[in-house]
């Protein structure tokens, strides 16, 4: 977002207020994992508190149908208004175990140009690509189209030549990106420098760009911010849901990585681990954003990711009690927050359940009778499918020995 205020003195008209539509979201997710007593015993005492620090590498499991690729499509270096050389962006991404990054310099705003002259706007991409060549990291060419509102800032990625976007007319820049096969999304539509109240709103120019296929995604998460209005715009206009770091300084410092923080990422549900696989997934809207432990996405995308992340390791009645001991493993980096909506109460907890990342949580469930199958439902408070809307997690638990 860091840009000179000169570029940001922007007239904007209030469009009619956004009409929020709430979709009741329910889903029957069947987790039919068989009990695995041998594995449960090998992992030690499942009731022990979660003490080991979260690993830095960002990890989400693949879903049944797609690869879960972690991507950051918005970052800056000294080739616009960032503070680091492009090689640092590559090293940060490797430490975070990302699958893909796009370095997206402000094409029109070049505050370091006197110190680092570079007539070619592809330089940051070229340097990053060379730095990543002996790794698995996928580097995508991109650029930030940096305009006052409307249309504000947008990122075009999968470019072949960023220089061609350096044109006066905003729409012409979008057309140049599309002509290169680019995918363009609206950046930080909630930015207070361009929206004083922090509320994302479409303007007629956005409507036109969307209608003409020139604007295909929107940042619902940018840097430290989440915009529920941007999420509603994405749902109403069939835009790809994007979350990015927009990092200018260091990821470690801005996102407190040593203290367990993480940068926002877009989890792209792709059929193959390649630039084309990622591009196709973005075009098909198959994304989930991870931000401050929230997972944000359409229900058909986020729930398969939840289903792959939360597994029942074991379910049994200890001794001759009718209190079911349920061991639930979370194999993802997200901490899930659940609200119990089952007819059963718990022996130790209240109705608010936390599933820490990479940890097995034990619930003692008072089923009153010794049942062979137990159906439980939870509201997934840390998962968002529309503004104010959380999906339902249904567990159908076969009880073992
Ligand atoms: Zn920006
Ligand atoms: Zn930016």
């Amino acid at each position: 977002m860091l840009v000179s205020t000169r570029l940001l003195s922007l007239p904007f008209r209030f469009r009619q207020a956004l009409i929020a539509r709430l979709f009741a979201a329910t889903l029957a997710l069947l987790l039919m994992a068989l009990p695995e007593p041998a594995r449960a015993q090998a992992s030690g005492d499942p009731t022990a508190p979660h003490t080991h620090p979260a690993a830095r590498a960002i990890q989400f499991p693949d879903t049944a149908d797609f690869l879960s690729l972690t991507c950051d499509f918005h970052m800056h270096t000294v080739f616009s208004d960032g503070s680091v050389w492009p090689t640092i962006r590559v090293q940060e991404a490797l430490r975070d175990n990302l699958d893909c990054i796009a370095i997206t310099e402000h094409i029109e705003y070049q505050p370091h140009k006197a110190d680092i002259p570079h007539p070619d706007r592809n330089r940051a991409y070229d340097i990053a690509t060379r730095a990543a060549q002996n790794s698995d990291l996928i580097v995508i060419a991109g650029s930030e189209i940096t305009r006052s509102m409307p249309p504000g800032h947008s990122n075009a990625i999968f470019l072949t030549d960023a220089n061609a976007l350096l044109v006066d007319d905003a729409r012409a820049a979008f057309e140049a990106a599309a002509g290169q096969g680019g995918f363009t999304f609206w950046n930080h539509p909630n930015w207070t420098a361009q929206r004083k109240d922090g509320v994302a709103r479409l303007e007629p120019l956005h409507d036109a760009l969307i209608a003409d296929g020139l604007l295909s995604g929107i940042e619902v998460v940018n840097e430290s911010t989440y915009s529920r209005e941007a999420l509603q715009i994405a749902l109403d206009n069939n835009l790809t849901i994007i979350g990015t770091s927009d990092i200018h300084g260091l990821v470690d410092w801005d996102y407190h990585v040593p203290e367990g923080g993480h940068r926002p990422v877009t989890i792209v549900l792709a059929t193959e681990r390649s630039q084309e696989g990622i591009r196709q997934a973005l075009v098909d809207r198959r994304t989930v954003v991870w931000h401050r432990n929230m997972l944000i996405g359409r229900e058909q995308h986020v729930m398969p990711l939840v289903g792959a992340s939360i597994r029942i390791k074991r379910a049994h009645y200890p001794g001759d009690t009718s209190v079911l001991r349920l061991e639930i493993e979370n194999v993802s980096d997200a901490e899930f927050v659940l609200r119990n909506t089952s007819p059963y109460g718990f022996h130790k907890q209240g109705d608010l359940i936390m599933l820490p990342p990479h940890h097995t949580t034990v619930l003692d469930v008072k089923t009153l009778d010794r049942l062979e199958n137990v159906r439980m439902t939870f509201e997934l408070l840390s998962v968002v499918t529309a503004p104010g809307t959380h999906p339902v997690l249904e567990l159908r638990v076969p009880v073992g020995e």
Side-chain angles (χ1 to χ4, degrees):
M1 289 194 204
L2 284 178
V3 191
S4 94
T5 47
R6 186 174 51 81
L7 280 167
L8 310 170
S9 48
L10 29 114
F12 69 84
R13 276 173 296 147
F14 279 93
R15 201 168 165 265
Q16 64 182 28
L18 187 68
I19 301 168
R21 288 199 319 230
L22 298 179
F23 296 98
T26 55
L27 182 83
L29 180 72
L30 306 181
L31 293 181
M32 299 295 287
L34 289 171
E36 296 176 80
R39 270 181 56 204
Q41 281 160 15
S43 66
D45 177 8
T47 63
H50 183 238
T51 49
H52 61 86
R56 170 166 190 153
I58 295 174
Q59 293 179 318
F60 283 89
D62 297 330
T63 69
D65 296 322
F66 296 107
L67 301 173
S68 297
L69 304 182
T70 49
C71 309
D72 188 351
F73 298 122
H74 190 165
M75 52 185 69
H76 298 272
T77 77
V78 290
F79 286 90
S80 60
D81 59 348
S83 306
V84 307
W85 198 251
T87 51
I88 300 298
R89 294 285 172 250
V90 171
Q91 291 168 24
E92 289 172 326
L94 292 173
R95 286 168 178 236
D96 280 344
N97 194 38
L98 298 190
D99 292 288
C100 171
I101 60 170
I103 296 180
T104 51
E105 308 295 2
H106 298 288
I107 195 152
E108 306 88 344
Y109 179 59
Q110 300 271 310
H112 303 317
K113 208 158 110 183
D115 294 313
I116 307 171
H118 57 287
D120 181 3
R121 295 287 198 276
N122 301 302
R123 280 301 292 154
Y125 165 72
D126 291 343
I127 293 168
T129 300
R130 226 177 10 258
Q133 66 186 1
N134 292 322
S135 74
D136 288 337
L137 181 67
I138 298 168
V139 181
I140 292 173
S143 219
E144 182 162 8
I145 303 168
T146 313
R147 306 291 172 131
S148 56
M149 188 75 84
H153 298 189
S154 298
N155 270 4
I157 57 176
F158 304 105
L159 298 177
T160 53
D161 180 11
N163 298 303
L165 275 60
L166 199 49
V167 292
D168 288 337
D169 180 56
R171 184 186 169 91
F174 285 78
E175 287 171 345
Q180 295 179 20
F183 179 92
T184 303
F185 56 90
W186 186 7
N187 296 345
H188 45 74
N190 56 333
W191 187 21
T192 49
Q194 295 188 328
R195 294 297 195 210
K196 297 299 175 202
D197 57 4
V199 173
R201 287 183 200 83
L202 287 166
E203 305 246 358
L205 178 55
H206 299 116
D207 290 331
L209 291 170
I210 292 168
D212 296 343
L214 298 173
L215 187 62
S216 306
I218 184 169
E219 283 184 345
V220 169
V221 167
N222 173 278
E223 203 182 44
S224 62
T225 67
Y226 159 66
S227 169
R228 53 188 279 153
E229 294 84 6
L231 176 58
Q232 192 63 55
I233 289 171
L235 297 174
D236 290 344
N237 295 274
N238 189 29
L239 301 177
T240 304
I241 294 167
I242 304 278
T244 70
S245 72
D246 199 357
I247 185 71
H248 288 72
L250 291 172
V251 168
D252 289 56
W253 292 357
D254 283 14
Y255 294 102
H256 310 287
V257 174
E259 292 81 34
H262 70 90
R263 71 166 100 191
V265 289
T266 304
I267 302 168
V268 173
L269 303 176
T271 54
E272 62 173 51
R273 194 183 182 286
S274 66
Q275 289 215 26
E276 181 48 32
I278 292 166
R279 200 192 66 79
Q280 191 59 51
L282 292 180
V283 169
D284 293 345
R285 304 339 190 205
R286 289 194 306 268
T287 60
V288 174
V289 168
W290 185 45
H291 170 65
R292 295 177 182 266
N293 268 320
M294 259 192 307
L295 287 172
I296 306 156
R298 292 175 172 84
E299 189 154 336
Q300 68 265 34
H301 302 138
V302 74
M303 287 312 289
L305 186 64
V306 172
S309 300
I310 298 176
R311 303 169 180 178
I312 296 170
K313 277 177 77 172
R314 190 184 182 197
H316 75 291
Y317 288 100
D320 60 357
T321 72
S322 59
V323 178
L324 179 71
R325 174 151 289 188
L326 188 59
E327 298 177 17
I328 304 178
E329 183 179 24
N330 172 11
V331 299
S332 82
D333 259 25
E335 178 166 37
F336 290 97
V337 181
L338 279 54
R339 187 177 74 84
N340 179 35
T341 52
S342 308
Y344 312 116
F346 301 117
H347 197 40
K348 293 174 180 164
Q349 292 100 329
D351 282 329
L352 195 65
I353 305 295
M354 318 291 274
L355 301 181
H358 305 289
H359 181 68
T360 297
T361 299
V362 177
L363 297 177
D364 288 337
V365 188
K366 293 188 284 188
T367 59
L368 305 183
D369 297 311
R370 287 171 72 102
L371 306 175
E372 291 185 359
N373 288 284
V374 178
R375 176 182 175 274
M376 302 189 68
T377 54
F378 300 90
E379 187 181 10
L380 280 162
L381 296 177
S382 58
V383 179
V384 177
T385 52
T389 304
H390 308 291
V392 172
L393 174 68
E394 178 175 351
L395 298 180
R396 288 186 183 273
V397 183
V399 179
E401 293 301 314

